[in-house]
Amino acid sequence: MDIALELPRSVLLALWLGGDGVGRGPLLSAVQSDDEPHTVRYEPGSNDPVRDDVTTEPLSSLLDAVEPGPRETATVLPAPGDLGATPAAVSAAATDAGEAVLVRSGHTCLVAVPLVERFGSHLEPGHLVTWEVTEVADWRHAVHARTGSLAEAERDLQQGLLQVTDALQRLDVARWRPDAAESIVALRDIGLPTWRLPDGLDGRTVRVLTSAARLRAIVTLAAQDDGAAVNLWQADQRSTALRDVDRLARRAMSAAATMLAV
């Protein structure tokens, strides 16, 4: 069974856009990976006239949509009932997508939500990705208040590891799903694909991203069914525990992909 750690597209895009002197080629390769070439659709602002001929542009056009100079970036990974710092204007779309990237350059603040259309078979899947870009108010205060620091995220991940270990024991994964148990064990020794990460990321950022991706992968495997749950109450308790771990992992991943000027 092929096991790999993955980061959301918005996390990768935020990491690359937040770097200095980002190259368009490496950015496109890292963010798009095996997808079809990504496109960008710019939504009209509140003061712009409504148009019926909205066109799409290549993902690299996002670099031209922000002002020259340093950029500040962040990622939100919302879930129903846990929107975090997601701007209200895109809360529904971002929650459906499970992610969005925030960009600020000069006086321009944007949010981009990836809309993913899957095609092909389970063995040979394909993805068409369109980023819907909307201009929003300054999002930095909300991100700083709700995401927290990288150090806090790393501490929370340690707690998340304890929680997911306890949940797995109560789920008795090894007994009812040996294949999932083997995959979870294999995840301990797998890292993120370094070619998809920009150069210059500090060690703590990489550690947090890797740990958060690992926890989310474990939660996905463990939550595929209720396993050895003997009643609905027990199943609900286990699902709640896994959701709590996923929330910690999403918050940590957002903290690691947030690059604000000090």
Side-chain angles (χ1 to χ4, degrees), residues 146-157:
R146 300 194 182 190
T147 300
S149 69
L150 194 58
E152 292 169 337
E154 192 167 33
R155 289 194 298 270
D156 287 344
L157 284 175

Side-chain angles (χ1 to χ4, degrees), residues 167-190:
L168 292 176
Q169 290 175 343
R170 287 186 285 121
L171 280 166
D172 199 7
V173 171
R175 181 170 70 83
W176 57 266
R177 283 200 59 207
D179 58 331
E182 292 174 4
S183 298
I184 289 170
V185 171
L187 284 169
R188 294 184 304 184
D189 301 319
I190 297 175

